Amino acid sequence: MTDHPWLSHYDPGVPRTLEPYPHRTLLDYLDDGVRERPGHPAALFKGRAFTLEELQRSSDAFAAALASLGVQRGDRVGALLPNCPQFLIVEFAAWKLGAIFAPLNPIYTEDELVHPLNTSEPKVVVTLTPFYERLKKAQPRTKGPRIVTTNIKEWFPPLLRIAFTLFTEWKDGHRVTRRDGDLAMAELLERFDHQRPSAERSAPGDAAVLLMSGGTSGEPKCVVGEHQDLIMSGLQLRAWLGDAITPWTSIYLLPLPLFHAYAACAVQSLTIIGHNPLALIPNPRDLNDIVKSLTKIQPVAFAGVPTLFSALLDHPDVKSGKANFRSLKVCVSGAAPLMTETKRRFEEVSGVHIIEGYGMTESLIAAIVNPLKGPSKDGSIGMPLPDVDVRIVDADDPTKRAPALEVGEMLMRAPQIMKAYWRNPAATAEMLFTDADGVTWLRTGDLCRLDEDGYVFLVDRKKEVIKPNGMQVWPRELEEVIAMHPAVAQVGVRGFPDPKHGEIAVAFVVLRQGMQATEADVREYCKKHLAYYKVPAKVVFRDDLPKSLIGKVLRRMLTLEEPQPAAVRA
């Protein structure tokens, strides 16, 4: 078997390499679009076209506003926002000052916000109004970033904006009273309208984004993505999809959150480079909005996670045949393994082929994807895109190549893989491996095999990060929260496969002597300190937990087969 057997199985027209890559940033592609077609939609949002010229003008104004707040080159600008035009405005505004964009997960609790805020240390954070109080509660435990609020209705079409103001705004907590000198984004945009920042904007080799990831250790860290990395990932995916995505005209429907690498590095880059309208779904759990958008917007491409495809199959309009999938040419599934039965059923209902892919935050979505036109093999995550390389090595020793067709840890390399974690050299050294030839590889922590055609098969996870519904859950984070429960003496958390959610987190708990607690008690406690998707799906009580000689809980030995004791220790 050759080192790169997948090259012989690329779809016709897909190049083996895209080198040399253009020395550009997404700002340059926005400039191109504004010069050619200023009124063309950059995004579609709740029935409104948000044009390229509006993105340019608004991000200019907000960059000037940020500069007035002291944001300079190399500073971080945070965003606690769902998919909405404001996300794009803040992102591009930061880049126009040479600043680094640091998006945050909008469903993080107060406790969960503290770590990423203290890691990235943003000078300013822009938040949607319903998240304002959470951010304010976390603010005293950080270095106190300046807070700017924005209301989701600010870019709604006129009639929807009126209806939202009358019937939804107060009820759902979208109207807030700012304090401590906090500012409103709408007022800043009006004040600095038609102004442009005087600062030197970001260059291709500058840091563009800080994306949260658990790596292989399960501890949250910030991945540094450079501007040129975003260009490389976008161009690789464009080449792979070929003529299925037509520049300017093909609409890409995005229910996945833009703070996630899947959307931030792949989908967003592809659409900005190709000037393709990006249809934004602010709430990925709003299946009615997704189904309505599929029918009304008629997108050509759709990005999802396995649980979303599964949930869509249960939607009444999909079951009844009312949902319209006829416009779709590309459906991409990633972030978690796709069940074969889910793939089969969705393709049967929609008539569109799902291509499964694989990428990591640390790889800036240097991806492995199944061919769009060629065969997809059952159980395979696909083959490396142009300029992406993989190597299967001994699971315990990356210097040793695994025998052909055998299972081992997958290493990945590509021109855009991360150079480092943000201010974390020790974790960086664990994640990157340099071989005897001086080539740097990313250690994926995943056990895989490579077949004779170059298709990659994900066998198991060496790393312990859990991915319910494609989201990242770190066992240690759950363990630290559960350990604070007054009745808990010991805890260990690990993931298990689940047909509905892909994976679920299960907490194994030993109670303190003389204390009692139920599964509901522990889960309710978690809900107060963790985002909903991190709350363990199950809590299993044990008399003891398996441990190493030094007392560390051995997560891999936690199983569900043993009988549970009563949820009380005498």
Side-chain angles (χ1 to χ4, degrees):
M1 187 169 73
T2 65
D3 277 349
H4 305 94
W6 54 84
L7 295 175
S8 300
H9 298 275
Y10 276 6
D11 282 342
V14 176
R16 295 188 171 202
T17 181
L18 299 174
E19 293 182 339
Y21 287 88
H23 193 67
R24 310 192 85 202
T25 73
L26 292 179
L27 291 171
D28 297 318
Y29 287 97
L30 175 59
D31 292 343
D32 293 344
V34 172
R35 279 193 300 269
E36 294 183 48
R37 304 182 192 179
H40 186 77
L44 303 174
F45 184 64
K46 293 294 185 179
R48 183 189 190 281
F50 178 63
T51 68
L52 292 168
E53 194 279 332
E54 285 179 307
L55 175 55
Q56 185 84 299
R57 177 174 164 179
S58 299
S59 58
D60 278 346
F62 199 63
L66 290 173
S68 75
L69 297 176
V71 175
Q72 301 177 26
R73 188 174 195 82
D75 286 340
R76 275 74 62 203
V77 175
L80 194 64
L81 297 169
N83 289 2
C84 56
Q86 294 96 313
F87 190 104
L88 301 176
I89 292 169
V90 177
E91 180 180 43
F92 277 77
W95 293 344
K96 288 179 177 181
L97 295 176
I100 305 169
F101 185 59
L104 300 161
N105 189 332
I107 59 176
Y108 271 0
T109 64
E110 167 197 340
D111 294 339
E112 292 167 307
L113 285 170
V114 173
H115 175 79
L117 286 171
N118 283 332
T119 301
S120 61
E121 296 181 342
K123 184 164 284 188
V124 175
V125 177
V126 181
T127 181
L128 202 70
T129 45
F131 315 144
Y132 177 67
E133 290 302 328
R134 250 185 294 150
L135 187 58
K136 289 299 289 184
K137 290 176 181 178
Q139 191 180 27
R141 297 154 63 186
T142 70
K143 291 192 175 182
R146 193 73 179 270
I147 296 176
V148 176
T149 68
T150 184
N151 193 308
I152 192 70
K153 72 179 183 180
E154 288 164 15
W155 293 94
F156 279 179
L159 291 179
L160 179 59
R161 184 169 180 166
I162 293 171
F164 181 87
T165 302
L166 292 174
F167 304 112
T168 304
E169 188 171 20
W170 276 107
K171 178 171 62 74
D172 291 352
H174 286 270
R175 187 174 294 181
V176 297
T177 301
R178 293 183 302 277
R179 54 192 184 275
D180 305 325
D182 295 334
L183 302 166
M185 184 176 182
E187 294 174 4
L188 290 172
L189 288 175
E190 184 177 1
R191 187 190 314 167
F192 290 91
D193 192 22
H194 293 294
Q195 295 190 34
R196 301 184 67 182
S198 58
E200 181 183 355
R201 67 188 198 175
S202 298
D206 291 340
V209 291
L210 298 182
L211 300 171
M212 295 302 297
S213 173
T216 58
S217 67
E219 297 180 358
K221 295 174 285 291
C222 280
V223 173
V224 181
E226 298 176 354
H227 285 272
Q228 59 195 4
D229 301 334
L230 303 181
I231 299 301
M232 292 170 184
S233 291
L235 289 174
Q236 288 167 0
L237 188 57
R238 276 175 55 81
W240 195 252
L241 298 179
D243 57 9
I245 305 292
T246 305
W248 297 100
T249 59
S250 296
I251 298 172
Y252 209 122
L253 182 63
L254 184 66
L256 303 179
L258 278 164
F259 71 81
H260 193 283
Y262 185 173
C265 303
V267 179
Q268 179 183 228
S269 295
L270 181 150
T271 55
I272 294 295
I273 291 171
H275 313 300
N276 296 101
L278 185 60
L280 299 172
I281 302 292
N283 182 0
R285 291 178 288 166
D286 189 347
L287 296 180
N288 290 331
D289 191 15
I290 295 172
V291 172
K292 180 181 177 181
S293 297
L294 282 166
T295 301
K296 186 175 181 179
I297 295 174
Q298 293 289 288
V300 168
F302 177 78
V305 294
T307 49
L308 177 55
F309 289 106
S310 179
L312 284 171
L313 287 169
D314 292 329
H315 191 277
D317 286 356
V318 176
K319 284 184 172 182
S320 67
K322 293 181 181 178
N324 185 347
F325 297 98
R326 288 192 296 272
S327 65
L328 289 178
K329 295 181 181 179
V330 177
C331 274
V332 183
S333 177
L338 177 65
M339 301 286 286
T340 302
E341 181 62 14
T342 300
K343 182 176 185 294
R344 183 195 66 78
R345 288 179 60 209
F346 189 85
E347 290 179 345
E348 187 177 90
V349 168
S350 67
V352 62
H353 176 56
I354 299 179
I355 57 173
E356 186 172 7
Y358 169 101
M360 297 176 66
T361 306
E362 287 80 0
S363 72
L364 282 304
I365 312 301
I368 298 167
V369 187
N370 273 287
L372 182 63
K373 299 175 182 177
S376 294
K377 298 186 179 183
D378 287 344
S380 172
I381 54 175
M383 60 183 68
L385 298 186
D387 301 315
V388 180
D389 194 4
V390 299
R391 176 184 291 179
I392 309 300
V393 299
D394 183 276
D396 298 313
D397 186 354
T399 66
K400 297 179 181 178
R401 297 282 290 264
L405 309 179
E406 293 292 317
V407 174
E409 181 182 1
M410 180 172 66
L411 305 183
M412 180 186 291
R413 68 167 178 157
Q416 71 263 45
I417 64 170
M418 74 165 195
K419 311 300 186 297
Y421 288 118
W422 179 254
R423 297 176 177 174
N424 197 336
T428 300
E430 292 177 3
M431 199 69 185
L432 300 177
F433 164 72
T434 302
D435 64 19
D437 297 323
V439 177
T440 298
W441 298 81
L442 184 68
R443 300 195 66 172
T444 67
D446 285 323
L447 299 177
C448 301
R449 65 178 176 86
L450 191 68
D451 76 2
E452 61 278 357
D453 295 327
Y455 284 77
V456 180
F457 292 79
L458 180 62
V459 177
D460 202 354
R461 283 196 173 91
K462 184 179 176 183
K463 57 192 176 185
E464 295 178 321
V465 63
I466 307 165
K467 291 191 173 182
N469 300 327
M471 304 298 286
Q472 294 189 356
V473 174
W474 303 296
R476 178 176 171 179
E477 188 176 23
L478 271 67
E479 290 167 357
E480 289 178 347
V481 169
I482 296 170
M484 292 189 296
H485 190 289
V488 172
Q490 302 172 31
V491 59
V493 175
R494 64 163 294 189
F496 289 87
D498 180 79
K500 184 177 180 180
H501 301 287
E503 280 186 312
I504 58 171
V506 178
F508 295 80
V509 170
V510 177
L511 295 175
R512 295 182 184 276
Q513 200 75 25
M515 301 291 285
Q516 58 182 332
T518 65
E519 179 177 16
D521 292 335
V522 176
R523 294 189 76 248
E524 283 301 313
Y525 183 83
C526 290
K527 289 177 183 178
K528 297 177 182 178
H529 300 278
L530 296 166
Y532 74 91
Y533 68 87
K534 294 182 181 179
V535 175
K538 294 181 181 179
V539 178
V540 178
F541 294 93
R542 293 281 187 262
D543 291 323
D544 199 7
L545 301 180
K547 302 180 185 69
S548 68
L549 290 174
I550 60 172
K552 182 179 180 181
V553 174
L554 299 173
R555 296 190 185 112
R556 67 180 182 277
M557 296 181 65
L558 298 170
T559 63
L560 295 171
E561 285 74 25
E562 299 174 23
Q564 290 192 218
V568 59
R569 290 198 80 186

